[in-house]
Amino acid sequence: GAFENCHTDVVMVVSINKTTGQINLISIPRDTVTYVPGVKGLYKLNAAFNVAEDPQTGIQQTCEAVSWLLGGMPIHNYIAVDMAALVAMVDAIGGVDFEVDMSYRSEDRFYRKGMQHLDGLGVMDYVRARHNATVDANDVGRTRRGRDMMGALFGKVKQVIQEEGAGSVV
């Protein structure tokens, strides 16, 4: 079925210090080879999800694989978002202003380097850019773009909450 073709596109770990309020974010390249529960030998991280029997198990296996990569650091909570949900979430907050670091094409859409107001589809095209990227066309560049975009999205969500109240975001 369709589940067999699902792969984890982006993996980020967020650490929140509840005492200081400091937030740290790291990305793990999707092609990283790691231990995956239930798989003999090592396997690519982005496939840890699809080797499971169901989505919940796939998410748990991905969390365990990330924990193994990080020396056993526990993953207490997770958020899994598919591409359609990413587009919808960004559109729900009115898009985001973002300094795009390259000009590139994604299907029939063309993006220019510089400050852009990106809707959900624009954000998805940017964070997924890899082979079509004109700057850092590799997984390291892709993970950097994802982290930069997450920072911009967190900032936009904070702004929307301050301006309109949390009820309009949820």
Side-chain angles (χ1 to χ4, degrees):
F3 182 64
E4 294 169 356
N5 296 320
C6 294
H7 285 81
T8 305
D9 214 34
V10 175
V11 176
M12 294 183 191
V13 177
V14 178
S15 173
I16 302 170
N17 184 318
K18 293 180 182 179
T19 303
T20 66
Q22 182 177 10
I23 299 173
N24 292 300
L25 176 71
I26 63 167
S27 299
I28 301 173
R30 67 190 214 135
D31 289 339
T32 302
V33 176
T34 184
Y35 162 78
V36 175
V39 174
K40 185 176 180 180
L42 299 177
Y43 209 57
K44 284 172 54 173
L45 178 59
N46 77 327
F49 181 80
N50 76 319
V51 295
E53 293 183 19
D54 58 75
Q56 185 62 44
T57 304
I59 290 169
Q60 186 60 42
Q61 286 183 181
T62 301
C63 289
E64 289 178 35
V66 169
S67 175
W68 183 85
L69 276 171
L70 299 176
M73 182 181 88
I75 307 297
H76 297 290
N77 299 292
Y78 62 85
I79 298 172
V81 179
D82 69 13
M83 288 182 260
L86 172 65
V87 170
M89 288 180 353
V90 174
D91 287 344
I93 62 170
V96 64
D97 294 330
F98 190 79
E99 183 74 30
V100 176
D101 63 343
M102 62 184 175
S103 295
Y104 64 101
R105 179 175 302 282
S106 182
E107 296 185 18
D108 61 344
R109 298 172 298 279
F110 182 75
Y111 299 91
R112 293 203 179 279
K113 180 179 178 179
M115 183 56 73
Q116 305 285 326
H117 182 79
L118 298 174
D119 63 3
L121 188 57
V123 167
M124 185 184 69
D125 285 345
Y126 182 73
V127 299
R128 295 200 70 226
R130 185 171 60 158
H131 298 298
N132 61 332
T134 57
V135 172
D136 296 333
N138 52 43
D139 273 346
V140 173
R142 189 180 206 200
T143 59
R144 178 193 49 78
R145 284 188 287 278
R147 282 190 314 276
D148 292 348
M149 182 58 71
M150 287 304 297
L153 291 172
F154 288 151
K156 177 64 184 275
V157 167
K158 183 178 177 181
Q159 174 190 347
V160 168
I161 289 171
Q162 290 172 343
E163 291 174 0
E164 301 176 21
S168 63
V169 175
V170 179

